[in-house]
Amino acid sequence: MSCDCEHRKLGGEIERIRKLAKAYARMEDTTVAIYSNPDGTYGFCSVSVEISKPIIEYITQF
């Protein structure tokens, strides 16, 4: 079984999230926003979705 602390550690690595966001942007042919969560981790989603968290960076598909 996986530990939640391991997921939190992986989610806190901005370079890893940036790499995943770039791959997602290329697959979906869209622009992606990387945002920070209150617990210190990062996430990403398409910019077509309303984001209420602080945006760190925008990633394009190019």
Side-chain angles (χ1 to χ4, degrees):
M1 270 213 279
S2 182
C3 173
D4 186 46
C5 58
E6 181 69 21
H7 292 288
R8 189 172 310 224
K9 178 184 164 210
L10 293 174
E13 297 174 1
I14 188 69
E15 290 300 321
R16 181 178 177 279
I17 298 298
R18 188 177 287 127
K19 189 175 174 181
L20 291 171
K22 185 69 170 180
Y24 178 81
R26 286 183 181 156
M27 285 188 328
E28 298 295 322
D29 196 33
T30 189
T31 300
V32 174
I34 298 176
Y35 57 84
S36 64
N37 291 312
D39 63 357
T41 61
Y42 300 97
F44 64 89
C45 65
S46 175
V47 293
S48 62
V49 177
E50 186 176 332
I51 305 167
S52 61
K53 298 176 183 174
I55 296 173
I56 304 298
E57 185 177 349
Y58 290 99
I59 304 289
T60 65
Q61 66 272 27
F62 304 109

Coordinates of all heavy atoms in Angstrom, one line a residue:
M1 N 0.8 -1.2 0.0 CA 0.0 0.0 0.0 C 0.9 1.2 0.0 O 2.0 1.2 0.5 CB -0.9 0.0 1.2 CG -2.2 -0.7 1.0 SD -3.5 0.0 1.9 CE -3.4 -0.7 3.4
S2 N 0.3 2.3 -0.5 CA 1.0 3.5 -0.6 C 0.7 4.4 0.5 O -0.4 4.5 1.0 CB 0.6 4.2 -1.9 OG 1.4 5.4 -2.1
C3 N 1.6 5.2 0.9 CA 1.5 6.1 2.0 C 1.1 7.5 1.5 O 1.6 8.0 0.5 CB 2.8 6.2 2.8 SG 2.8 7.4 4.1
D4 N 0.2 8.2 2.2 CA -0.2 9.5 1.8 C 1.0 10.5 1.8 O 1.0 11.4 1.0 CB -1.3 10.1 2.7 CG -1.9 11.4 2.2 OD1 -2.1 11.5 0.9 OD2 -2.1 12.3 3.0
C5 N 1.9 10.3 2.7 CA 3.1 11.2 2.8 C 3.9 11.1 1.5 O 4.5 12.1 1.1 CB 3.9 10.9 4.0 SG 4.5 9.3 4.2
E6 N 4.0 9.9 0.9 CA 4.7 9.7 -0.4 C 4.0 10.5 -1.5 O 4.7 11.2 -2.3 CB 4.8 8.3 -0.8 CG 5.5 8.0 -2.0 CD 7.0 8.3 -1.9 OE1 7.5 8.3 -0.8 OE2 7.6 8.4 -3.0
H7 N 2.7 10.5 -1.6 CA 2.0 11.3 -2.6 C 2.2 12.8 -2.3 O 2.4 13.5 -3.3 CB 0.5 11.0 -2.5 CG 0.2 9.6 -3.0 ND1 0.3 9.2 -4.3 CD2 -0.2 8.5 -2.3 CE1 -0.1 7.9 -4.4 NE2 -0.4 7.5 -3.1
R8 N 2.2 13.2 -1.1 CA 2.4 14.6 -0.8 C 3.8 15.0 -1.2 O 4.0 16.1 -1.7 CB 2.2 14.9 0.7 CG 2.2 16.3 1.1 CD 1.8 16.5 2.5 NE 0.6 15.7 2.7 CZ -0.4 16.1 3.3 NH1 -0.4 17.3 3.9 NH2 -1.5 15.4 3.5
K9 N 4.8 14.2 -1.0 CA 6.2 14.5 -1.4 C 6.3 14.6 -2.9 O 6.9 15.6 -3.4 CB 7.1 13.3 -0.9 CG 8.6 13.5 -1.3 CD 9.4 12.3 -0.9 CE 10.7 12.4 -1.6 NZ 11.3 11.1 -1.9
L10 N 5.7 13.7 -3.6 CA 5.7 13.8 -5.1 C 5.0 15.0 -5.6 O 5.4 15.7 -6.6 CB 5.1 12.5 -5.7 CG 5.9 11.3 -5.5 CD1 5.2 10.1 -6.0 CD2 7.3 11.4 -6.1
G11 N 3.9 15.4 -4.9 CA 3.1 16.6 -5.3 C 3.8 17.9 -5.0 O 3.4 18.9 -5.5
G12 N 4.8 17.8 -4.1 CA 5.5 19.0 -3.8 C 6.7 19.3 -4.6 O 7.4 20.3 -4.4
E13 N 7.0 18.4 -5.6 CA 8.1 18.6 -6.5 C 7.7 19.4 -7.7 O 7.1 18.8 -8.6 CB 8.8 17.3 -6.8 CG 9.3 16.5 -5.6 CD 9.8 15.1 -6.0 OE1 9.7 14.7 -7.2 OE2 10.2 14.4 -5.0
I14 N 8.0 20.7 -7.8 CA 7.5 21.5 -8.9 C 8.0 21.0 -10.3 O 7.3 21.1 -11.3 CB 7.9 23.0 -8.7 CG1 7.2 23.9 -9.7 CG2 9.4 23.2 -8.6 CD1 5.7 24.0 -9.6
E15 N 9.3 20.5 -10.3 CA 9.8 20.1 -11.6 C 9.0 18.9 -12.1 O 8.8 18.7 -13.3 CB 11.3 19.7 -11.5 CG 12.2 20.9 -11.3 CD 12.1 21.9 -12.5 OE1 12.0 21.5 -13.6 OE2 12.1 23.1 -12.2
R16 N 8.6 18.0 -11.2 CA 7.8 16.8 -11.6 C 6.5 17.2 -12.1 O 6.0 16.7 -13.1 CB 7.7 15.9 -10.4 CG 6.9 14.6 -10.7 CD 6.9 13.7 -9.5 NE 6.1 12.5 -9.8 CZ 4.8 12.5 -9.7 NH1 4.1 13.6 -9.4 NH2 4.1 11.4 -10.0
I17 N 5.8 18.1 -11.4 CA 4.5 18.6 -11.8 C 4.6 19.4 -13.2 O 3.7 19.2 -14.0 CB 3.9 19.5 -10.7 CG1 3.7 18.8 -9.4 CG2 2.6 20.2 -11.2 CD1 2.8 17.6 -9.5
R18 N 5.7 20.2 -13.3 CA 5.9 20.9 -14.6 C 6.0 19.9 -15.8 O 5.4 20.1 -16.9 CB 7.1 21.8 -14.5 CG 7.3 22.7 -15.7 CD 8.5 23.6 -15.5 NE 8.2 24.6 -14.5 CZ 9.0 24.8 -13.4 NH1 10.1 24.1 -13.2 NH2 8.7 25.8 -12.6
K19 N 6.7 18.8 -15.6 CA 6.9 17.8 -16.6 C 5.5 17.1 -17.0 O 5.2 16.9 -18.1 CB 7.9 16.8 -16.1 CG 8.3 15.8 -17.1 CD 9.4 14.9 -16.5 CE 9.8 13.8 -17.5 NZ 10.8 12.9 -16.9
L20 N 4.8 16.8 -15.9 CA 3.4 16.2 -16.2 C 2.5 17.2 -16.9 O 1.7 16.8 -17.8 CB 2.8 15.7 -14.8 CG 3.5 14.6 -14.2 CD1 2.9 14.4 -12.7 CD2 3.3 13.3 -15.0
A21 N 2.5 18.4 -16.4 CA 1.7 19.5 -17.0 C 2.0 19.7 -18.5 O 1.1 19.8 -19.4 CB 1.8 20.8 -16.3
K22 N 3.3 19.7 -18.8 CA 3.7 19.8 -20.2 C 3.2 18.7 -21.1 O 2.7 18.9 -22.2 CB 5.3 19.9 -20.3 CG 5.8 20.2 -21.7 CD 5.4 21.6 -22.1 CE 6.2 22.0 -23.3 NZ 5.9 23.4 -23.7
A23 N 3.3 17.4 -20.6 CA 2.8 16.3 -21.3 C 1.3 16.3 -21.5 O 0.8 16.1 -22.6 CB 3.2 15.0 -20.6
Y24 N 0.6 16.8 -20.5 CA -0.8 16.9 -20.6 C -1.2 18.0 -21.6 O -2.1 17.8 -22.4 CB -1.4 17.3 -19.2 CG -2.9 17.4 -19.2 CD1 -3.8 16.4 -19.1 CD2 -3.5 18.7 -19.2 CE1 -5.1 16.5 -19.2 CE2 -4.8 18.9 -19.2 CZ -5.7 17.8 -19.2 OH -7.0 18.0 -19.2
A25 N -0.5 19.1 -21.6 CA -0.8 20.2 -22.5 C -0.6 19.7 -23.9 O -1.4 20.1 -24.8 CB 0.1 21.4 -22.2
R26 N 0.4 18.9 -24.2 CA 0.7 18.4 -25.5 C -0.4 17.4 -26.0 O -0.9 17.4 -27.1 CB 2.0 17.8 -25.6 CG 3.2 18.8 -25.6 CD 4.5 18.1 -25.8 NE 5.6 19.1 -25.8 CZ 6.8 18.8 -25.4 NH1 7.1 17.6 -25.1 NH2 7.7 19.7 -25.5
M27 N -0.8 16.5 -25.1 CA -1.8 15.5 -25.4 C -3.2 16.2 -25.7 O -3.9 15.8 -26.6 CB -2.0 14.5 -24.2 CG -0.9 13.5 -24.2 SD -1.1 12.2 -23.0 CE -2.1 12.9 -21.7
E28 N -3.5 17.2 -24.8 CA -4.9 17.8 -25.0 C -4.9 19.0 -25.9 O -5.9 19.6 -26.1 CB -5.4 18.2 -23.6 CG -5.6 17.0 -22.7 CD -6.6 16.0 -23.1 OE1 -7.7 16.5 -23.7 OE2 -6.4 14.8 -23.0
D29 N -3.7 19.4 -26.4 CA -3.5 20.6 -27.2 C -4.2 21.8 -26.6 O -5.0 22.5 -27.2 CB -4.1 20.3 -28.6 CG -3.6 21.4 -29.6 OD1 -2.5 21.8 -29.5 OD2 -4.4 21.7 -30.5
T30 N -3.8 22.1 -25.3 CA -4.3 23.2 -24.6 C -3.2 23.9 -23.7 O -2.1 23.3 -23.6 CB -5.5 22.7 -23.7 OG1 -6.1 23.9 -23.1 CG2 -5.1 21.8 -22.6
T31 N -3.6 25.0 -23.1 CA -2.7 25.6 -22.1 C -3.1 25.2 -20.7 O -4.3 25.0 -20.4 CB -2.8 27.2 -22.2 OG1 -2.4 27.5 -23.6 CG2 -1.9 27.8 -21.3
V32 N -2.1 24.9 -19.9 CA -2.3 24.4 -18.6 C -1.8 25.4 -17.5 O -0.8 26.1 -17.8 CB -1.6 23.0 -18.4 CG1 -1.6 22.5 -17.0 CG2 -2.2 22.0 -19.4
A33 N -2.4 25.5 -16.4 CA -2.0 26.3 -15.3 C -1.5 25.4 -14.1 O -2.2 24.5 -13.8 CB -3.1 27.2 -14.8
I34 N -0.3 25.7 -13.6 CA 0.1 25.0 -12.4 C -0.2 25.9 -11.2 O 0.0 27.1 -11.3 CB 1.7 24.8 -12.5 CG1 2.0 23.9 -13.6 CG2 2.2 24.2 -11.1 CD1 3.5 23.7 -13.8
Y35 N -0.9 25.4 -10.2 CA -1.3 26.1 -9.1 C -0.7 25.5 -7.8 O -0.3 24.3 -7.8 CB -2.8 26.2 -9.0 CG -3.5 24.9 -9.0 CD1 -3.7 24.2 -7.8 CD2 -4.0 24.3 -10.1 CE1 -4.3 23.0 -7.8 CE2 -4.6 23.1 -10.1 CZ -4.8 22.4 -8.9 OH -5.4 21.2 -8.9
S36 N -0.7 26.3 -6.7 CA -0.2 25.7 -5.4 C -1.4 25.5 -4.5 O -2.4 26.2 -4.5 CB 0.7 26.7 -4.8 OG 0.1 27.9 -4.5
N37 N -1.3 24.4 -3.8 CA -2.3 24.1 -2.8 C -1.9 24.6 -1.4 O -0.7 24.8 -1.1 CB -2.5 22.5 -2.7 CG -3.1 22.0 -4.0 OD1 -4.1 22.5 -4.4 ND2 -2.5 21.0 -4.6
P38 N -2.8 24.7 -0.5 CA -2.5 25.2 0.9 C -1.5 24.3 1.6 O -0.8 24.8 2.5 CB -3.8 25.3 1.6 CG -4.9 25.3 0.5 CD -4.3 24.6 -0.7
D39 N -1.5 23.0 1.3 CA -0.6 22.1 2.0 C 0.8 22.1 1.5 O 1.7 21.3 1.9 CB -1.2 20.7 2.1 CG -1.3 20.1 0.7 OD1 -1.0 20.8 -0.3 OD2 -1.8 18.9 0.6
G40 N 1.2 23.0 0.5 CA 2.5 23.0 -0.1 C 2.7 22.2 -1.3 O 3.8 22.2 -1.8
T41 N 1.7 21.5 -1.7 CA 1.8 20.7 -3.0 C 1.4 21.5 -4.2 O 0.9 22.6 -4.0 CB 1.0 19.4 -2.9 OG1 -0.4 19.7 -2.7 CG2 1.5 18.5 -1.7
Y42 N 1.6 21.0 -5.3 CA 1.2 21.6 -6.6 C 0.2 20.8 -7.4 O 0.2 19.6 -7.2 CB 2.4 21.9 -7.4 CG 3.4 22.8 -6.8 CD1 4.5 22.2 -6.1 CD2 3.3 24.2 -6.8 CE1 5.5 23.0 -5.5 CE2 4.2 25.0 -6.1 CZ 5.3 24.4 -5.5 OH 6.2 25.2 -4.9
G43 N -0.5 21.4 -8.2 CA -1.4 20.7 -9.1 C -1.5 21.4 -10.4 O -1.0 22.5 -10.6
F44 N -2.2 20.9 -11.4 CA -2.4 21.6 -12.7 C -3.7 21.2 -13.3 O -4.3 20.2 -12.9 CB -1.3 21.2 -13.6 CG -1.2 19.8 -14.1 CD1 -1.9 19.3 -15.2 CD2 -0.4 18.9 -13.4 CE1 -1.8 18.0 -15.6 CE2 -0.3 17.6 -13.8 CZ -1.0 17.1 -14.9
C45 N -4.2 22.1 -14.1 CA -5.5 21.9 -14.8 C -5.5 22.8 -16.0 O -4.7 23.7 -16.1 CB -6.7 22.1 -13.9 SG -6.9 23.7 -13.4
S46 N -6.4 22.5 -16.9 CA -6.6 23.3 -18.1 C -7.0 24.7 -17.7 O -7.8 24.9 -16.7 CB -7.6 22.6 -19.0 OG -7.9 23.4 -20.1
V47 N -6.6 25.7 -18.5 CA -7.0 27.1 -18.1 C -8.5 27.3 -18.4 O -9.0 28.3 -18.0 CB -6.2 28.1 -18.9 CG1 -4.7 28.1 -18.3 CG2 -6.2 28.0 -20.3
S48 N -9.2 26.4 -19.1 CA -10.6 26.6 -19.4 C -11.4 26.3 -18.1 O -12.6 26.7 -18.1 CB -11.0 25.6 -20.5 OG -10.8 24.3 -20.1
V49 N -10.8 25.8 -17.1 CA -11.5 25.5 -15.8 C -11.2 26.7 -14.9 O -10.1 27.2 -14.9 CB -10.9 24.2 -15.2 CG1 -11.5 24.0 -13.8 CG2 -11.1 23.0 -16.1
E50 N -12.2 27.1 -14.1 CA -12.0 28.2 -13.2 C -11.1 27.7 -12.0 O -11.4 26.7 -11.4 CB -13.3 28.7 -12.6 CG -13.2 29.9 -11.8 CD -14.5 30.5 -11.3 OE1 -15.5 30.3 -12.0 OE2 -14.6 31.1 -10.2
I51 N -10.0 28.5 -11.8 CA -9.1 28.1 -10.8 C -9.1 29.1 -9.6 O -8.9 30.3 -9.9 CB -7.6 28.1 -11.4 CG1 -7.6 27.1 -12.6 CG2 -6.6 27.6 -10.3 CD1 -6.4 27.3 -13.4
S52 N -9.4 28.7 -8.4 CA -9.5 29.6 -7.3 C -8.2 29.6 -6.4 O -8.2 30.2 -5.3 CB -10.7 29.3 -6.5 OG -10.6 27.9 -6.0
K53 N -7.2 28.9 -6.8 CA -6.0 28.8 -6.1 C -4.9 29.6 -6.7 O -5.0 30.0 -7.9 CB -5.5 27.3 -6.0 CG -6.5 26.4 -5.3 CD -6.2 25.0 -5.4 CE -7.3 24.1 -4.7 NZ -7.0 22.7 -4.8
P54 N -3.9 30.0 -6.0 CA -2.8 30.8 -6.6 C -2.1 30.1 -7.7 O -1.6 29.0 -7.6 CB -1.8 31.0 -5.4 CG -2.6 30.6 -4.2 CD -3.6 29.7 -4.6
I55 N -2.1 30.8 -8.9 CA -1.4 30.2 -10.1 C 0.1 30.5 -10.0 O 0.5 31.7 -9.8 CB -2.1 30.8 -11.4 CG1 -3.5 30.3 -11.4 CG2 -1.3 30.3 -12.6 CD1 -4.3 30.9 -12.5
I56 N 0.9 29.5 -10.3 CA 2.3 29.6 -10.2 C 2.9 29.8 -11.6 O 3.8 30.7 -11.8 CB 3.0 28.3 -9.7 CG1 2.4 28.0 -8.3 CG2 4.5 28.4 -9.7 CD1 2.7 29.0 -7.2
E57 N 2.4 29.1 -12.6 CA 2.9 29.2 -14.0 C 1.9 28.7 -15.0 O 1.1 27.8 -14.7 CB 4.2 28.2 -14.0 CG 5.0 28.2 -15.2 CD 6.2 27.4 -15.1 OE1 6.5 26.9 -14.0 OE2 6.8 27.1 -16.1
Y58 N 2.0 29.2 -16.2 CA 1.2 28.7 -17.3 C 2.1 27.9 -18.2 O 3.3 28.3 -18.5 CB 0.6 29.8 -18.1 CG -0.5 30.6 -17.4 CD1 -0.2 31.8 -16.7 CD2 -1.8 30.1 -17.3 CE1 -1.2 32.5 -16.1 CE2 -2.8 30.7 -16.7 CZ -2.5 31.9 -16.0 OH -3.5 32.6 -15.4
I59 N 1.6 26.8 -18.7 CA 2.4 25.9 -19.6 C 1.6 25.7 -20.9 O 0.4 25.4 -20.9 CB 2.6 24.5 -19.0 CG1 3.2 24.5 -17.6 CG2 3.3 23.6 -19.9 CD1 4.7 24.9 -17.6
T60 N 2.3 26.0 -22.0 CA 1.6 25.8 -23.3 C 2.0 24.5 -23.9 O 2.9 23.8 -23.5 CB 2.0 26.9 -24.3 OG1 3.4 26.8 -24.6 CG2 1.7 28.3 -23.7
Q61 N 1.3 24.1 -25.0 CA 1.5 22.9 -25.6 C 2.7 22.9 -26.6 O 3.1 21.9 -27.1 CB 0.3 22.4 -26.4 CG -0.1 23.3 -27.6 CD -1.1 24.4 -27.2 OE1 -1.1 24.9 -26.1 NE2 -1.9 24.8 -28.1
F62 N 3.3 24.1 -26.8 CA 4.4 24.2 -27.7 C 5.7 24.0 -27.1 O 6.0 24.2 -26.0 CB 4.4 25.6 -28.4 CG 3.1 25.9 -29.1 CD1 2.2 26.8 -28.6 CD2 2.7 25.2 -30.2 CE1 1.0 27.0 -29.2 CE2 1.5 25.4 -30.8 CZ 0.6 26.3 -30.3

